[in-house]
């Protein structure tokens, strides 16, 4: 029996059995589709402790102007992928590039100067500092631009301007998330990485977060979002990735993933009955 990995004809036959979302997740299609991408990651292998790999050959790309969502079951490697892109987890194998420049395992502070912002899921504000002081921490590398950037961020998040002298520790979870996102925008990033921005928030603030993500994107910032709220994430994203056990299982437009029978059955559960027409 021929090995599809070594026989081009067998590999081509095997691909005919794949859905479009499965085909797009193959290394061959990724290599073709990712040409000229703003951020590109190829065959990433990475993990937190020696000899334990969380990412196991994961591919990813983001085009300029996109919102790309990353969903999947718990333990699939979603947050690990985001942290690896931002240089917080060392890459054991594979590569990450930004505008064609190799940034594999580059330190976070270097990536910030290159236009990449990151908002972690937890501990993402300085609770003892005021909102204004949190914003100052976000632009400490370019202090002269504080007034200009704070005005821009306050237009996106009016709360930040209105309550600038309030300590972040006195805010609700949803309000803190706005502070964290605002601070990441102070350095005028071209790419914003969001790790589960709606986690733990009330339904009202969850909707607010997704609305703000669209508004941020409309200003020219490309967005990568890891989310457990898969339905809402896929509704707003241009494309989505479904990760499973550290590799790509499916990738397609957000709307296509929402209606993909395999994705619904394996990952989205009751989404089929509630998705938009």
């Amino acid at each position: 029996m021929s090995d599809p990995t070594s026989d081009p004809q067998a590999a081509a036959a095997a691909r005919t059995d794949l859905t479009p979302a499965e085909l797009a997740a193959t290394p061959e299609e990724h290599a073709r589709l990712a040409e000229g991408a703003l951020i590109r990651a190829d065959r990433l292998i990475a993990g937190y402790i020696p000899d334990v790999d969380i990412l196991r050959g994961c591919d990813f790309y983001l085009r300029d102007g996109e919102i790309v969502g990353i969903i999947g079951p718990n333990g699939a490697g979603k947050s690990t992928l985001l942290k690896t892109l931002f240089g917080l987890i060392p890459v054991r194998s594979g590569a990450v590039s930004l505008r064609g420049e190799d940034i594999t395992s580059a330190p976070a502070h270097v990536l910030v100067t290159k236009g990449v912002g990151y908002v972690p899921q937890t501990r993402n504000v300085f609770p003892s500092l005021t909102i204004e002081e949190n914003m100052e921490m976000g632009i400490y590398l370019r202090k002269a631009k504080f007034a200009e950037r704070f005005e821009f961020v306050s237009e996106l998040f009016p709360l930040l301007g209105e309550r600038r002298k309030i300590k972040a520790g006195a805010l609700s979870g949803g309000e803190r998330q706005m502070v964290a996102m605002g601070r990441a925008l102070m350095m005028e990033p071209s790419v914003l990485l969001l790790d589960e921005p709606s986690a733990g928030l009330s339904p009202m603030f969850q909707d607010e977060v997704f609305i703000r993500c669209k508004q941020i994107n409309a200003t020219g910032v490309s967005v990568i979002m890891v989310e457990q709220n898969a339905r809402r994430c896929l509704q707003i994203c241009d494309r989505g990735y479904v990760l499973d056990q550290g590799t790509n299982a499916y990738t397609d437009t957000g709307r296509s993933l929402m209606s993909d029978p395999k994705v619904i059955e394996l990952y989205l559960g009751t989404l089929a009955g509630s998705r938009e027409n």
Side-chain angles (χ1 to χ4, degrees), residues 15-276:
R15 285 197 293 271
T16 62
D17 296 330
L18 301 179
T19 67
E22 290 174 314
L23 179 62
T26 62
E28 297 83 5
E29 277 298 283
H30 162 76
R32 183 179 70 84
L33 296 170
E35 284 293 328
L38 177 59
I39 285 186
R40 175 173 177 170
D42 299 296
R43 312 303 294 157
L44 289 180
I45 296 177
Y48 297 87
I49 59 176
D51 302 320
V52 178
D53 297 328
I54 305 300
L55 300 182
R56 304 170 184 175
C58 188
D59 295 318
F60 177 88
Y61 72 90
L62 170 77
R63 293 200 176 280
D64 190 36
E66 282 188 317
I67 299 179
V68 173
I70 303 172
I71 65 172
N74 290 335
K78 304 182 296 297
S79 293
T80 302
L81 173 58
L82 209 65
K83 292 173 183 175
T84 303
L85 295 176
F86 196 59
L88 299 176
I89 297 175
V91 174
R92 294 172 183 154
S93 181
V96 182
S97 63
L98 173 67
R99 300 184 187 87
E101 177 187 355
D102 183 23
I103 58 167
T104 309
S105 295
H109 70 274
V110 171
L111 294 179
V112 169
T113 64
K114 293 181 179 293
V116 182
Y118 171 66
V119 180
Q121 179 184 352
T122 59
R123 298 182 179 179
N124 53 19
V125 301
F126 299 98
S128 63
L129 301 182
T130 66
I131 290 175
E132 183 174 4
E133 290 167 339
N134 269 272
M135 297 303 109
E136 289 173 348
M137 292 297 292
I139 200 168
Y140 70 95
L141 294 174
R142 300 175 187 167
K143 294 179 180 179
K145 297 193 69 175
F146 172 78
E148 174 190 337
R149 292 305 298 167
F150 187 60
E151 180 180 2
F152 170 82
V153 169
S154 295
E155 289 177 358
L156 279 172
F157 304 101
L159 168 79
L160 304 187
E162 295 165 2
R163 307 183 67 185
R164 61 193 297 167
K165 299 301 183 182
I166 301 295
K167 288 190 176 182
L171 304 175
S172 69
E175 291 167 339
R176 289 189 188 196
Q177 190 64 38
M178 302 302 155
V179 172
M181 293 169 70
R183 190 180 70 238
L185 291 171
M186 290 295 289
M187 280 289 287
E188 201 169 356
S190 56
V191 180
L192 185 62
L193 314 181
L194 301 173
D195 193 357
E196 300 201 21
S198 75
L201 303 184
S202 68
M204 181 184 72
F205 269 114
Q206 286 186 15
D207 285 340
E208 181 80 5
V209 164
F210 290 116
I211 290 169
R212 297 304 182 194
C213 288
K214 288 290 287 184
Q215 291 176 338
I216 290 168
N217 180 244
T219 68
V221 180
S222 303
V223 178
I224 304 173
M225 177 191 306
V226 166
E227 255 301 329
Q228 286 288 350
N229 189 341
R231 177 180 184 274
R232 195 69 178 93
C233 177
L234 293 178
Q235 283 178 335
I236 72 163
C237 72
D238 298 295
R239 291 187 303 110
Y241 283 83
V242 182
L243 264 57
D244 193 11
Q245 300 183 42
T247 61
N248 299 15
Y250 305 88
T251 183
D252 208 333
T253 65
R255 185 165 292 276
S256 294
L257 289 176
M258 287 177 69
S259 60
D260 186 296
K262 288 187 178 181
V263 175
I264 293 168
E265 179 185 0
L266 296 175
Y267 303 102
L268 303 184
T270 59
L271 176 60
S274 60
R275 69 176 184 270
E276 295 180 347

Side-chain angles (χ1 to χ4, degrees), residues 1-18:
M1 189 174 189
S2 63
D3 179 3
T5 62
S6 58
D7 183 342
Q9 289 185 332
R15 285 197 293 271
T16 62
D17 296 330
L18 301 179

